């Protein structure tokens, strides 16, 4: 039984890494598609070099984490401005011609979070919004602070989701509306946010769009650390 639990934990975490690798590859694939038409543009070449470098760094980091894979989801907390996490995720994402992304970032205090894990959450949400429709999509990012939390909202005008899918499947592993999806992204997002003591919620309507809201307590205490079990 112990071996079975360990294998289950390994498989879950391995799927997380595969999903992040797919996200990194998606950015590289888009850049490759634009090479033929944009290669003579010096600004494009400069952006392409930066994008390749960042993607390679990200993939190397994932490989390093994979070699150290254990049963735990490790959250490495450090004082961080959530707005910097937003900027990092946008830089990692690169340019998507089909997406228009706007920002509304409030002045925020630093909170103790794992910036890499939180950046992964935002990257997942952005890619989900972009891939939710074949039409051009508008995405709005907003940060704000309440008395007890900082919040990040990701809103889009994509295809949306029905109430039944949100209620029964959205945050479950291996459930997806995308034909090429693994069905692990939202499960991963929820696991990471809750490991920070936070909460992720969603509002969506088919044909109208989706709004995700992440709320992190100002005094973040990780529920999952180097001595705890992997997310269940």
């Amino acid at each position: 039984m112990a071996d079975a639990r360990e294998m289950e934990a390994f498989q879950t975490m391995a799927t997380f890494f595969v999903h992040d690798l797919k996200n990194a590859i998606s950015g590289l694939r888009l850049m490759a598609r634009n090479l033929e038409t944009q290669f003579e543009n010096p600004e494009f070449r400069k952006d392409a070099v930066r994008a390749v470098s960042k993607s390679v760094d990200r993939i190397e980091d994932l490989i390093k984490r994979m070699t150290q894979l254990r049963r735990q989801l490790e959250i490495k907390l450090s004082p961080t401005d959530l707005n910097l996490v937003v900027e990092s995720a946008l830089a990692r994402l690169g340019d998507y011609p089909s997406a228009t992304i706007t920002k509304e970032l409030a002045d925020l205090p630093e909170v103790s979070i794992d910036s890499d894990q939180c950046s992964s959450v935002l990257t997942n949400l952005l890619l989900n919004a972009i891939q939710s429709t074949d039409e051009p999509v508008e995405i709005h990012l907003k940060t704000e602070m309440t008395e007890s939390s900082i919040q990040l909202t990701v809103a889009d005008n994509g295809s949306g989701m029905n109430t039944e899918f949100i209620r029964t499947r959205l945050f479950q592993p291996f459930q997806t509306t995308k034909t090429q999806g693994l069905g692990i992204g939202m499960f991963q997002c929820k696991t990471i946010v809750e490991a920070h003591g936070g909460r992720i919620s969603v509002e969506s309507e088919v044909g109208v769009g989706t709004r995700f809201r992440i709320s992190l307590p100002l005094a973040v205490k990780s529920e999952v650390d180097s001595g705890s079990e992997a997310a269940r």
Side-chain angles (χ1 to χ4, degrees), residues 11-27:
Q11 290 173 337
T12 299
M13 295 305 295
T15 306
F16 283 2
F17 288 119
V18 170
H19 187 271
D20 279 353
L21 284 171
K22 282 173 65 72
N23 287 347
I25 290 170
S26 293

Side-chain angles (χ1 to χ4, degrees), residues 58-192:
R58 177 60 177 165
I59 291 171
E60 285 182 341
D61 176 65
L62 289 169
I63 292 173
K64 179 180 178 181
R65 288 163 56 195
M66 181 65 107
T67 61
Q68 299 172 343
L69 191 62
R70 296 179 290 180
R71 294 182 61 189
Q72 303 90 341
L73 168 62
E74 293 190 3
I75 299 296
K76 299 178 180 179
L77 301 178
S78 62
T80 305
D81 184 341
L82 185 61
N83 290 332
L84 296 181
V85 174
V86 172
E87 299 292 356
S88 173
L90 289 174
R92 177 189 299 178
L93 185 71
D95 293 327
Y96 275 79
S98 62
T100 300
I101 302 176
T102 58
K103 299 177 294 184
E104 184 181 349
L105 307 181
D107 291 332
L108 300 175
E110 289 188 338
V111 291
S112 293
I113 58 176
D114 186 319
S115 59
D116 286 340
Q117 295 282 14
C118 289
S119 180
S120 177
V121 169
L122 181 52
T123 300
N124 280 333
L125 295 178
L126 290 170
L127 285 172
N128 278 351
I130 293 170
Q131 296 168 0
S132 69
T133 176
D134 294 330
E135 302 297 325
V137 63
E138 297 179 2
I139 304 171
H140 185 65
L141 303 178
K142 181 179 180 180
T143 60
E144 56 190 322
M145 184 175 65
T146 69
E147 291 184 359
S148 59
S149 68
I150 55 173
Q151 297 187 350
L152 168 64
T153 303
V154 182
D156 68 70
N157 65 343
S159 58
M161 298 171 287
N162 62 55
T163 302
E164 180 67 12
F165 180 83
I166 293 174
R167 185 178 66 84
T168 62
R169 299 175 59 191
L170 176 61
F171 293 110
Q172 299 300 315
F174 314 116
Q175 303 291 329
T176 181
T177 59
K178 296 183 290 187
T179 57
Q180 300 297 320
L182 286 172
I184 198 68
M186 293 314 305
F187 175 64
Q188 182 182 16
C189 289
K190 185 172 185 288
T191 298
I192 293 171

